[in-house]
């Protein structure tokens, strides 16, 4: 019986929140789920600004980090952007 996407996301997020940064392989080992399901879950969690990947390991974002990234993504008047985990000043058009 396949596991629902939201259930996989819940499992992965809680493993990360309890145990710190993990690799895809370690998450596959801890959950017993197929690697494809883990990769899809990590992608969803990252797109929803709940986790980030640094040097091949995934970890949860703090609440202030989540809020800041959300603001950067959705606010038109934010003077900064985040690219590859680096905060940069937005380029202004002349």
């Amino acid at each position: 019986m396949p596991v629902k996407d939201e259930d996989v996301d819940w499992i992965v997020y809680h493993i990360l929140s309890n145990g710190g940064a993990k690799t895809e392989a370690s998450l596959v080992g801890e959950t017993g789920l197929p690697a494809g399901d883990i990769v899809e879950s990590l992608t969803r969690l990252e797109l929803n600004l709940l986790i980030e990947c640094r040097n091949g390991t995934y970890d949860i974002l703090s609440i202030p980090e989540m809020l800041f990234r959300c603001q950067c993504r959705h606010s038109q008047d934010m003077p900064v952007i985040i690219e590859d985990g680096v905060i940069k000043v937005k380029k202004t058009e002349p």
Side-chain angles (χ1 to χ4, degrees), residues 33-85:
L33 296 168
D37 288 355
I38 297 298
V39 169
E40 289 173 5
S41 177
L42 291 169
T43 300
R44 282 190 300 273
L45 292 169
E46 203 167 11
L47 286 173
N48 286 299
L49 305 172
L50 296 171
I51 66 170
E52 74 173 336
C53 180
R54 270 193 209 149
N55 302 321
T57 60
Y58 292 85
D59 203 358
I60 62 168
L61 294 169
S62 68
I63 300 241
E65 288 173 313
M66 289 177 197
L67 294 172
F68 179 70
R69 287 173 188 239
C70 184
Q71 231 178 347
C72 287
R73 180 185 287 178
H74 297 289
S75 177
Q76 298 298 319
D77 59 347
M78 278 295 284
V80 296
I81 59 171
I82 300 174
E83 287 182 359
D84 299 321

